[in-house]
CSV table of all heavy atoms in Angstrom, one decimal:
chain,number,residue,atom,x,y,z
A,241,LEU,N,-6.7,-1.2,13.1
A,241,LEU,CA,-5.9,-0.3,12.3
A,241,LEU,C,-6.6,0.0,11.0
A,241,LEU,O,-7.5,-0.7,10.5
A,241,LEU,CB,-4.5,-1.0,12.0
A,241,LEU,CG,-4.5,-2.3,11.2
A,241,LEU,CD1,-3.7,-2.2,9.9
A,241,LEU,CD2,-3.9,-3.4,12.1
A,242,VAL,N,-6.2,1.1,10.4
A,242,VAL,CA,-6.6,1.6,9.1
A,242,VAL,C,-5.4,1.7,8.2
A,242,VAL,O,-4.4,2.3,8.6
A,242,VAL,CB,-7.3,2.9,9.1
A,242,VAL,CG1,-7.7,3.4,7.8
A,242,VAL,CG2,-8.5,2.9,10.0
A,243,VAL,N,-5.4,1.1,7.0
A,243,VAL,CA,-4.3,1.1,6.1
A,243,VAL,C,-4.7,1.5,4.7
A,243,VAL,O,-5.7,1.0,4.2
A,243,VAL,CB,-3.5,-0.3,6.1
A,243,VAL,CG1,-4.5,-1.4,5.8
A,243,VAL,CG2,-2.3,-0.3,5.2
A,244,THR,N,-3.9,2.4,4.1
A,244,THR,CA,-4.0,2.7,2.7
A,244,THR,C,-2.8,2.3,2.0
A,244,THR,O,-1.7,2.8,2.4
A,244,THR,CB,-4.3,4.2,2.5
A,244,THR,OG1,-5.5,4.6,3.2
A,244,THR,CG2,-4.4,4.6,1.1
A,245,SER,N,-2.9,1.4,1.1
A,245,SER,CA,-1.7,1.0,0.3
A,245,SER,C,-1.6,1.7,-1.0
A,245,SER,O,-2.6,1.8,-1.8
A,245,SER,CB,-1.8,-0.5,0.1
A,245,SER,OG,-3.0,-0.9,-0.6
A,246,MET,N,-0.4,2.3,-1.3
A,246,MET,CA,-0.1,2.9,-2.5
A,246,MET,C,0.7,2.0,-3.3
A,246,MET,O,1.9,1.9,-3.1
A,246,MET,CB,0.5,4.3,-2.2
A,246,MET,CG,-0.5,5.3,-1.6
A,246,MET,SD,0.3,6.6,-0.6
A,246,MET,CE,0.5,5.8,1.0
A,247,GLN,N,0.1,1.3,-4.3
A,247,GLN,CA,0.8,0.1,-4.9
A,247,GLN,C,1.3,0.4,-6.3
A,247,GLN,O,0.6,1.0,-7.1
A,247,GLN,CB,-0.3,-1.0,-4.9
A,247,GLN,CG,-0.7,-1.4,-3.5
A,247,GLN,CD,-1.7,-2.6,-3.5
A,247,GLN,OE1,-2.6,-2.6,-2.7
A,247,GLN,NE2,-1.4,-3.6,-4.3
A,248,SER,N,2.5,-0.1,-6.5
A,248,SER,CA,3.2,0.2,-7.8
A,248,SER,C,2.6,-0.6,-8.9
A,248,SER,O,1.9,-1.6,-8.7
A,248,SER,CB,4.7,-0.1,-7.6
A,248,SER,OG,4.9,-1.5,-7.4
A,249,VAL,N,2.9,-0.2,-10.1
A,249,VAL,CA,2.3,-0.8,-11.3
A,249,VAL,C,2.8,-2.3,-11.5
A,249,VAL,O,2.1,-3.1,-12.1
A,249,VAL,CB,2.5,0.0,-12.6
A,249,VAL,CG1,1.8,1.3,-12.5
A,249,VAL,CG2,4.0,0.2,-12.8
A,250,SER,N,4.0,-2.6,-11.0
A,250,SER,CA,4.5,-4.0,-11.2
A,250,SER,C,3.6,-5.0,-10.4
A,250,SER,O,3.6,-6.2,-10.8
A,250,SER,CB,5.9,-4.1,-10.7
A,250,SER,OG,6.0,-3.7,-9.3
A,251,GLY,N,2.9,-4.5,-9.4
A,251,GLY,CA,2.0,-5.4,-8.7
A,251,GLY,C,0.8,-5.9,-9.6
A,251,GLY,O,0.2,-6.9,-9.2
A,252,ALA,N,0.6,-5.3,-10.7
A,252,ALA,CA,-0.5,-5.7,-11.6
A,252,ALA,C,0.0,-6.7,-12.7
A,252,ALA,O,-0.7,-7.1,-13.6
A,252,ALA,CB,-1.1,-4.5,-12.3
A,253,GLY,N,1.3,-7.2,-12.5
A,253,GLY,CA,1.8,-8.1,-13.5
A,253,GLY,C,2.2,-7.4,-14.8
A,253,GLY,O,2.2,-6.2,-14.9
A,254,TYR,N,2.4,-8.2,-15.9
A,254,TYR,CA,2.7,-7.7,-17.2
A,254,TYR,C,1.7,-8.2,-18.2
A,254,TYR,O,1.3,-9.3,-18.2
A,254,TYR,CB,4.1,-8.2,-17.6
A,254,TYR,CG,4.6,-7.6,-18.9
A,254,TYR,CD1,5.3,-6.4,-18.9
A,254,TYR,CD2,4.3,-8.2,-20.1
A,254,TYR,CE1,5.7,-5.8,-20.1
A,254,TYR,CE2,4.7,-7.7,-21.3
A,254,TYR,CZ,5.4,-6.5,-21.3
A,254,TYR,OH,5.8,-5.9,-22.5
A,255,PRO,N,1.2,-7.3,-19.1
A,255,PRO,CA,1.5,-5.9,-19.3
A,255,PRO,C,0.9,-4.9,-18.3
A,255,PRO,O,1.2,-3.7,-18.3
A,255,PRO,CB,1.0,-5.6,-20.7
A,255,PRO,CG,-0.2,-6.5,-20.8
A,255,PRO,CD,0.2,-7.7,-20.1
A,256,GLY,N,0.1,-5.4,-17.4
A,256,GLY,CA,-0.3,-4.6,-16.2
A,256,GLY,C,-1.4,-3.5,-16.6
A,256,GLY,O,-2.3,-3.7,-17.4
A,257,VAL,N,-1.2,-2.3,-15.9
A,257,VAL,CA,-2.2,-1.2,-16.0
A,257,VAL,C,-1.9,-0.5,-17.3
A,257,VAL,O,-0.8,-0.1,-17.7
A,257,VAL,CB,-2.1,-0.3,-14.8
A,257,VAL,CG1,-3.2,0.7,-14.8
A,257,VAL,CG2,-2.1,-1.1,-13.5
A,258,SER,N,-3.0,-0.1,-18.0
A,258,SER,CA,-2.9,0.7,-19.2
A,258,SER,C,-2.2,2.1,-18.9
A,258,SER,O,-2.5,2.7,-17.9
A,258,SER,CB,-4.3,1.0,-19.8
A,258,SER,OG,-4.2,2.0,-20.7
A,259,SER,N,-1.3,2.5,-19.8
A,259,SER,CA,-0.7,3.8,-19.6
A,259,SER,C,-1.7,4.9,-19.5
A,259,SER,O,-1.5,5.9,-18.8
A,259,SER,CB,0.3,4.1,-20.7
A,259,SER,OG,-0.3,4.1,-21.9
A,260,MET,N,-2.8,4.8,-20.2
A,260,MET,CA,-3.8,5.8,-20.2
A,260,MET,C,-4.5,5.9,-18.8
A,260,MET,O,-5.0,7.0,-18.5
A,260,MET,CB,-4.9,5.6,-21.3
A,260,MET,CG,-4.4,5.7,-22.7
A,260,MET,SD,-4.1,7.5,-23.1
A,260,MET,CE,-5.8,8.0,-23.3
A,261,ASP,N,-4.5,4.8,-18.1
A,261,ASP,CA,-5.0,4.8,-16.8
A,261,ASP,C,-4.1,5.4,-15.7
A,261,ASP,O,-4.6,6.0,-14.7
A,261,ASP,CB,-5.5,3.4,-16.4
A,261,ASP,CG,-6.7,3.0,-17.2
A,261,ASP,OD1,-7.5,3.8,-17.5
A,261,ASP,OD2,-6.8,1.7,-17.4
A,262,ILE,N,-2.8,5.1,-15.8
A,262,ILE,CA,-1.9,5.3,-14.7
A,262,ILE,C,-0.9,6.5,-14.8
A,262,ILE,O,-0.5,7.1,-13.8
A,262,ILE,CB,-1.1,4.0,-14.4
A,262,ILE,CG1,-0.6,4.1,-12.9
A,262,ILE,CG2,-0.1,3.7,-15.4
A,262,ILE,CD1,-1.6,4.2,-11.8
A,263,VAL,N,-0.6,6.9,-16.1
A,263,VAL,CA,0.4,8.0,-16.2
A,263,VAL,C,-0.2,9.3,-15.7
A,263,VAL,O,-1.3,9.6,-16.1
A,263,VAL,CB,0.8,8.1,-17.7
A,263,VAL,CG1,1.7,9.4,-17.9
A,263,VAL,CG2,1.6,6.9,-18.1
A,264,ALA,N,0.5,9.9,-14.8
A,264,ALA,CA,0.0,11.2,-14.2
A,264,ALA,C,-1.3,11.0,-13.5
A,264,ALA,O,-2.2,11.9,-13.6
A,264,ALA,CB,0.0,12.3,-15.2
A,265,ASN,N,-1.5,9.9,-12.9
A,265,ASN,CA,-2.9,9.6,-12.3
A,265,ASN,C,-2.7,8.7,-11.2
A,265,ASN,O,-1.7,8.1,-10.9
A,265,ASN,CB,-3.8,9.0,-13.4
A,265,ASN,CG,-5.2,8.9,-13.0
A,265,ASN,OD1,-5.7,9.8,-12.3
A,265,ASN,ND2,-6.0,7.9,-13.5
A,266,VAL,N,-3.8,8.6,-10.4
A,266,VAL,CA,-3.9,7.6,-9.3
A,266,VAL,C,-5.3,6.9,-9.4
A,266,VAL,O,-6.3,7.6,-9.7
A,266,VAL,CB,-3.8,8.3,-7.9
A,266,VAL,CG1,-4.2,7.4,-6.8
A,266,VAL,CG2,-2.4,8.9,-7.7
A,267,VAL,N,-5.3,5.6,-9.3
A,267,VAL,CA,-6.5,4.8,-9.4
A,267,VAL,C,-6.9,4.3,-8.0
A,267,VAL,O,-6.1,3.5,-7.4
A,267,VAL,CB,-6.3,3.6,-10.4
A,267,VAL,CG1,-7.6,2.8,-10.5
A,267,VAL,CG2,-5.8,4.1,-11.8
A,268,PRO,N,-8.0,4.8,-7.5
A,268,PRO,CA,-8.3,4.5,-6.0
A,268,PRO,C,-9.0,3.2,-5.8
A,268,PRO,O,-9.6,3.1,-4.7
A,268,PRO,CB,-9.2,5.7,-5.7
A,268,PRO,CG,-9.9,6.0,-6.9
A,268,PRO,CD,-9.0,5.7,-8.1
A,269,TYR,N,-8.8,2.2,-6.6
A,269,TYR,CA,-9.4,0.9,-6.4
A,269,TYR,C,-8.6,-0.2,-7.1
A,269,TYR,O,-8.2,0.0,-8.3
A,269,TYR,CB,-10.8,0.9,-6.8
A,269,TYR,CG,-11.5,-0.5,-6.7
A,269,TYR,CD1,-11.8,-1.0,-5.5
A,269,TYR,CD2,-11.7,-1.2,-7.9
A,269,TYR,CE1,-12.4,-2.3,-5.4
A,269,TYR,CE2,-12.3,-2.5,-7.8
A,269,TYR,CZ,-12.6,-3.0,-6.6
A,269,TYR,OH,-13.2,-4.3,-6.5
A,270,ILE,N,-8.3,-1.3,-6.4
A,270,ILE,CA,-7.6,-2.4,-7.0
A,270,ILE,C,-8.5,-3.6,-6.7
A,270,ILE,O,-8.6,-4.0,-5.6
A,270,ILE,CB,-6.2,-2.6,-6.5
A,270,ILE,CG1,-5.4,-1.4,-6.8
A,270,ILE,CG2,-5.6,-3.9,-7.2
A,270,ILE,CD1,-4.0,-1.5,-6.1
A,271,GLY,N,-9.1,-4.2,-7.7
A,271,GLY,CA,-10.1,-5.3,-7.5
A,271,GLY,C,-9.5,-6.5,-6.7
A,271,GLY,O,-8.5,-7.0,-7.1
A,272,GLY,N,-10.2,-6.9,-5.7
A,272,GLY,CA,-9.9,-8.1,-5.0
A,272,GLY,C,-8.8,-7.9,-3.9
A,272,GLY,O,-8.4,-8.8,-3.2
A,273,GLU,N,-8.2,-6.7,-3.9
A,273,GLU,CA,-7.0,-6.5,-3.0
A,273,GLU,C,-7.4,-6.2,-1.6
A,273,GLU,O,-6.8,-6.8,-0.7
A,273,GLU,CB,-6.2,-5.3,-3.6
A,273,GLU,CG,-4.8,-5.1,-3.0
A,273,GLU,CD,-3.8,-6.2,-3.5
A,273,GLU,OE1,-4.2,-7.0,-4.4
A,273,GLU,OE2,-2.7,-6.2,-3.1
A,274,GLU,N,-8.4,-5.4,-1.3
A,274,GLU,CA,-8.7,-5.0,0.0
A,274,GLU,C,-9.1,-6.2,0.9
A,274,GLU,O,-8.7,-6.3,2.1
A,274,GLU,CB,-9.7,-3.9,0.0
A,274,GLU,CG,-9.2,-2.6,-0.5
A,274,GLU,CD,-10.2,-1.6,-1.0
A,274,GLU,OE1,-11.4,-1.9,-0.8
A,274,GLU,OE2,-9.8,-0.6,-1.6
A,275,PRO,N,-9.9,-7.1,0.4
A,275,PRO,CA,-10.3,-8.3,1.3
A,275,PRO,C,-9.1,-9.1,1.8
A,275,PRO,O,-9.0,-9.6,2.9
A,275,PRO,CB,-11.2,-9.1,0.4
A,275,PRO,CG,-11.8,-8.1,-0.5
A,275,PRO,CD,-10.7,-7.2,-0.8
A,276,LYS,N,-8.1,-9.2,0.9
A,276,LYS,CA,-6.9,-9.9,1.3
A,276,LYS,C,-6.1,-9.2,2.4
A,276,LYS,O,-5.7,-9.8,3.4
A,276,LYS,CB,-6.0,-10.2,0.0
A,276,LYS,CG,-6.5,-11.1,-1.0
A,276,LYS,CD,-5.6,-11.4,-2.1
A,276,LYS,CE,-5.5,-10.2,-3.1
A,276,LYS,NZ,-4.7,-10.5,-4.3
A,277,VAL,N,-6.0,-7.9,2.2
A,277,VAL,CA,-5.2,-7.1,3.2
A,277,VAL,C,-6.0,-7.1,4.5
A,277,VAL,O,-5.3,-7.2,5.6
A,277,VAL,CB,-5.1,-5.7,2.7
A,277,VAL,CG1,-4.4,-4.8,3.7
A,277,VAL,CG2,-4.2,-5.6,1.4
A,278,GLN,N,-7.3,-7.2,4.5
A,278,GLN,CA,-8.1,-7.1,5.7
A,278,GLN,C,-8.1,-8.5,6.5
A,278,GLN,O,-8.5,-8.5,7.6
A,278,GLN,CB,-9.5,-6.7,5.4
A,278,GLN,CG,-9.5,-5.2,5.0
A,278,GLN,CD,-10.9,-4.7,4.5
A,278,GLN,OE1,-11.1,-3.5,4.4
A,278,GLN,NE2,-11.8,-5.6,4.2
A,279,THR,N,-7.6,-9.5,5.9
A,279,THR,CA,-7.6,-10.8,6.5
A,279,THR,C,-6.3,-11.4,6.8
A,279,THR,O,-6.0,-12.0,7.8
A,279,THR,CB,-8.4,-11.8,5.5
A,279,THR,OG1,-9.7,-11.3,5.2
A,279,THR,CG2,-8.6,-13.2,6.2
A,280,GLU,N,-5.3,-11.3,5.8
A,280,GLU,CA,-4.1,-12.1,5.9
A,280,GLU,C,-3.2,-11.8,7.1
A,280,GLU,O,-2.7,-12.7,7.7
A,280,GLU,CB,-3.3,-11.9,4.6
A,280,GLU,CG,-4.0,-12.6,3.4
A,280,GLU,CD,-3.3,-12.5,2.1
A,280,GLU,OE1,-2.1,-12.0,2.1
A,280,GLU,OE2,-3.8,-12.9,1.1
A,281,ALA,N,-3.1,-10.5,7.4
A,281,ALA,CA,-2.2,-10.2,8.6
A,281,ALA,C,-2.8,-10.7,9.9
A,281,ALA,O,-2.0,-11.0,10.8
A,281,ALA,CB,-2.1,-8.6,8.7
A,282,THR,N,-4.1,-10.9,10.0
A,282,THR,CA,-4.6,-11.5,11.2
A,282,THR,C,-4.3,-13.0,11.3
A,282,THR,O,-4.2,-13.5,12.4
A,282,THR,CB,-6.2,-11.3,11.3
A,282,THR,OG1,-6.8,-12.0,10.2
A,282,THR,CG2,-6.5,-9.8,11.2
A,283,LYS,N,-4.1,-13.6,10.2
A,283,LYS,CA,-3.6,-15.0,10.2
A,283,LYS,C,-2.1,-15.1,10.5
A,283,LYS,O,-1.7,-15.9,11.4
A,283,LYS,CB,-3.9,-15.8,8.9
A,283,LYS,CG,-3.5,-17.2,9.0
A,283,LYS,CD,-3.9,-18.0,7.7
A,283,LYS,CE,-3.5,-19.5,7.8
A,283,LYS,NZ,-3.8,-20.3,6.6
A,284,VAL,N,-1.3,-14.2,9.9
A,284,VAL,CA,0.1,-14.2,10.1
A,284,VAL,C,0.4,-13.9,11.5
A,284,VAL,O,1.3,-14.6,12.1
A,284,VAL,CB,0.8,-13.2,9.2
A,284,VAL,CG1,2.3,-13.0,9.5
A,284,VAL,CG2,0.6,-13.5,7.7
A,285,LEU,N,-0.3,-13.0,12.2
A,285,LEU,CA,-0.1,-12.6,13.6
A,285,LEU,C,-1.0,-13.4,14.5
A,285,LEU,O,-1.1,-13.1,15.7
A,285,LEU,CB,-0.3,-11.1,13.7
A,285,LEU,CG,0.8,-10.3,13.1
A,285,LEU,CD1,0.4,-8.8,13.0
A,285,LEU,CD2,2.1,-10.4,13.8
A,286,GLY,N,-1.6,-14.5,14.0
A,286,GLY,CA,-2.4,-15.4,14.9
A,286,GLY,C,-1.5,-16.4,15.6
A,286,GLY,O,-0.3,-16.4,15.5
A,287,THR,N,-2.2,-17.2,16.4
A,287,THR,CA,-1.4,-18.2,17.2
A,287,THR,C,-1.7,-19.6,16.7
A,287,THR,O,-2.8,-19.9,16.3
A,287,THR,CB,-1.9,-18.1,18.7
A,287,THR,OG1,-3.3,-18.2,18.8
A,287,THR,CG2,-1.4,-16.7,19.3
A,288,LEU,N,-0.7,-20.4,16.9
A,288,LEU,CA,-0.8,-21.8,16.4
A,288,LEU,C,-1.6,-22.7,17.4
A,288,LEU,O,-1.3,-22.7,18.6
A,288,LEU,CB,0.6,-22.4,16.2
A,288,LEU,CG,0.8,-23.8,15.7
A,288,LEU,CD1,0.3,-23.9,14.3
A,288,LEU,CD2,2.2,-24.2,15.8
A,289,SER,N,-2.6,-23.4,16.9
A,289,SER,CA,-3.3,-24.4,17.7
A,289,SER,C,-2.9,-25.8,17.2
A,289,SER,O,-2.0,-25.9,16.3
A,289,SER,CB,-4.8,-24.2,17.7
A,289,SER,OG,-5.3,-24.4,16.4
A,290,ASP,N,-3.6,-26.8,17.6
A,290,ASP,CA,-3.2,-28.2,17.2
A,290,ASP,C,-3.3,-28.4,15.7
A,290,ASP,O,-2.4,-29.0,15.1
A,290,ASP,CB,-4.1,-29.2,18.0
A,290,ASP,CG,-3.7,-29.3,19.4
A,290,ASP,OD1,-2.6,-28.9,19.8
A,290,ASP,OD2,-4.5,-29.9,20.2
A,291,ASN,N,-4.4,-27.9,15.1
A,291,ASN,CA,-4.6,-28.2,13.7
A,291,ASN,C,-4.9,-27.0,12.8
A,291,ASN,O,-5.2,-27.2,11.7
A,291,ASN,CB,-5.9,-29.1,13.6
A,291,ASN,CG,-5.6,-30.5,14.2
A,291,ASN,OD1,-4.7,-31.2,13.8
A,291,ASN,ND2,-6.4,-30.8,15.3
A,292,SER,N,-4.7,-25.8,13.3
A,292,SER,CA,-5.0,-24.6,12.5
A,292,SER,C,-4.4,-23.4,13.2
A,292,SER,O,-3.7,-23.5,14.2
A,292,SER,CB,-6.5,-24.4,12.3
A,292,SER,OG,-7.1,-24.2,13.6
A,293,ILE,N,-4.7,-22.2,12.7
A,293,ILE,CA,-4.3,-21.0,13.3
A,293,ILE,C,-5.5,-20.3,13.9
A,293,ILE,O,-6.5,-20.1,13.2
A,293,ILE,CB,-3.6,-20.1,12.2
A,293,ILE,CG1,-2.4,-20.7,11.6
A,293,ILE,CG2,-3.3,-18.7,12.8
A,293,ILE,CD1,-1.3,-21.0,12.6
A,294,ASN,N,-5.3,-19.8,15.1
A,294,ASN,CA,-6.3,-18.9,15.7
A,294,ASN,C,-6.0,-17.5,15.2
A,294,ASN,O,-5.0,-16.9,15.7
A,294,ASN,CB,-6.3,-19.0,17.2
A,294,ASN,CG,-6.7,-20.3,17.7
A,294,ASN,OD1,-7.6,-21.0,17.2
A,294,ASN,ND2,-6.0,-20.8,18.7
A,295,PHE,N,-6.8,-16.9,14.3
A,295,PHE,CA,-6.6,-15.6,13.8
A,295,PHE,C,-6.6,-14.6,14.9
A,295,PHE,O,-7.4,-14.7,15.9
A,295,PHE,CB,-7.7,-15.2,12.8
A,295,PHE,CG,-7.5,-15.9,11.4
A,295,PHE,CD1,-7.2,-17.3,11.3
A,295,PHE,CD2,-7.8,-15.2,10.3
A,295,PHE,CE1,-7.1,-17.9,10.1
A,295,PHE,CE2,-7.7,-15.8,9.0
A,295,PHE,CZ,-7.3,-17.2,9.0
A,296,ASN,N,-5.7,-13.6,14.8
A,296,ASN,CA,-5.8,-12.5,15.8
A,296,ASN,C,-7.1,-11.7,15.6
A,296,ASN,O,-7.7,-11.7,14.6
A,296,ASN,CB,-4.6,-11.5,15.5
A,296,ASN,CG,-4.1,-10.9,16.8
A,296,ASN,OD1,-4.9,-10.1,17.3
A,296,ASN,ND2,-2.9,-11.2,17.2
A,297,ASP,N,-7.5,-11.1,16.7
A,297,ASP,CA,-8.8,-10.5,16.7
A,297,ASP,C,-8.9,-9.0,16.4
A,297,ASP,O,-9.9,-8.4,16.5
A,297,ASP,CB,-9.5,-10.7,18.1
A,297,ASP,CG,-8.8,-10.1,19.3
A,297,ASP,OD1,-7.7,-9.5,19.0
A,297,ASP,OD2,-9.2,-10.2,20.4
A,298,PHE,N,-7.7,-8.4,16.0
A,298,PHE,CA,-7.8,-7.0,15.6
A,298,PHE,C,-8.4,-6.9,14.2
A,298,PHE,O,-8.4,-7.8,13.4
A,298,PHE,CB,-6.4,-6.4,15.6
A,298,PHE,CG,-5.4,-7.0,14.7
A,298,PHE,CD1,-5.3,-6.7,13.4
A,298,PHE,CD2,-4.4,-7.8,15.3
A,298,PHE,CE1,-4.4,-7.3,12.5
A,298,PHE,CE2,-3.4,-8.4,14.4
A,298,PHE,CZ,-3.4,-8.1,13.1
A,299,THR,N,-9.0,-5.7,14.0
A,299,THR,CA,-9.7,-5.5,12.8
A,299,THR,C,-8.9,-4.5,11.9
A,299,THR,O,-8.2,-3.7,12.4
A,299,THR,CB,-11.1,-4.8,13.0
A,299,THR,OG1,-11.0,-3.7,13.8
A,299,THR,CG2,-12.0,-5.8,13.7
A,300,ILE,N,-9.0,-4.7,10.6
A,300,ILE,CA,-8.3,-3.9,9.6
A,300,ILE,C,-9.3,-3.3,8.6
A,300,ILE,O,-10.1,-4.0,8.0
A,300,ILE,CB,-7.3,-4.8,8.8
A,300,ILE,CG1,-6.3,-5.4,9.8
A,300,ILE,CG2,-6.5,-3.9,7.8
A,300,ILE,CD1,-5.3,-6.4,9.1
A,301,GLN,N,-9.2,-2.0,8.4
A,301,GLN,CA,-9.9,-1.4,7.3
A,301,GLN,C,-8.9,-1.0,6.3
A,301,GLN,O,-7.9,-0.2,6.6
A,301,GLN,CB,-10.6,-0.1,7.8
A,301,GLN,CG,-11.4,0.6,6.7
A,301,GLN,CD,-12.1,1.8,7.2
A,301,GLN,OE1,-12.8,1.8,8.2
A,301,GLN,NE2,-12.1,2.9,6.4
A,302,ALA,N,-9.0,-1.5,5.0
A,302,ALA,CA,-8.0,-1.3,4.0
A,302,ALA,C,-8.6,-0.5,2.8
A,302,ALA,O,-9.7,-0.7,2.4
A,302,ALA,CB,-7.5,-2.6,3.6
A,303,THR,N,-7.7,0.3,2.2
A,303,THR,CA,-8.0,0.9,0.9
A,303,THR,C,-6.8,0.7,0.1
A,303,THR,O,-5.6,0.9,0.5
A,303,THR,CB,-8.2,2.4,1.1
A,303,THR,OG1,-9.3,2.7,2.0
A,303,THR,CG2,-8.5,3.1,-0.3
A,304,ALA,N,-7.0,0.2,-1.1
A,304,ALA,CA,-5.9,-0.2,-2.1
A,304,ALA,C,-5.9,0.8,-3.3
A,304,ALA,O,-6.9,0.9,-3.9
A,304,ALA,CB,-6.0,-1.6,-2.5
Side-chain angles (χ1 to χ4, degrees):
L241 60 121
V242 177
V243 56
T244 298
S245 58
M246 291 156 274
Q247 301 184 217
S248 65
V249 293
S250 60
Y254 186 86
V257 185
S258 165
S259 61
M260 290 289 287
D261 289 331
I262 198 62
V263 172
N265 194 30
V266 169
V267 182
Y269 174 72
I270 302 173
E273 194 75 1
E274 290 160 7
K276 290 183 284 187
V277 177
Q278 289 172 169
T279 307
E280 291 180 7
T282 64
K283 183 176 182 179
V284 174
L285 290 167
T287 56
L288 181 66
S289 68
D290 286 343
N291 293 302
S292 62
I293 300 297
N294 295 320
F295 284 41
N296 209 295
D297 62 358
F298 59 80
T299 54
I300 302 173
Q301 179 178 318
T303 301

